[in-house]
Amino acid sequence: MARGADPPAASRYASPEESGGACSTHAEGIGAEARAHREPLGSVPTAADLVNHPTEWWHWSFGDRHRAPATGAATAPYGPKELTPVG
């Protein structure tokens, strides 16, 4: 791999449909090199108590609606906020 080149990760930021499923965190058939690049990009956020969105290997959350079901919590600490227009 050339210096400054993007390492293979098997998909750019794309929907599961656009990537043929390659953007899913545990996608099958992405190749050993791409999987090896994804591993540290997953273990570090997991160690920091973030939760991965399984259809997007690059997308992580803390405290939102995705975290509650992934951790078995009854509710999420953070949720949507109703905005009141000013003026």
Side-chain angles (χ1 to χ4, degrees):
M1 181 170 61
R3 184 178 175 97
D6 288 339
S11 76
R12 294 273 183 190
Y13 307 114
S15 72
E17 296 78 20
E18 293 169 326
S19 72
C23 67
S24 296
T25 303
H26 301 290
E28 295 182 19
I30 62 169
E33 186 178 18
R35 189 166 308 287
H37 288 289
R38 288 185 185 189
E39 180 59 35
L41 296 172
S43 61
V44 171
T46 298
D49 206 23
L50 277 78
V51 172
N52 178 243
H53 294 228
T55 60
E56 301 172 338
W57 65 266
W58 63 87
H59 195 159
W60 295 81
S61 295
F62 181 81
D64 68 3
R65 63 188 175 94
H66 296 285
R67 189 173 193 282
T71 61
T75 61
Y78 307 111
K81 172 72 174 144
E82 295 281 336
L83 299 178
T84 304
V86 177

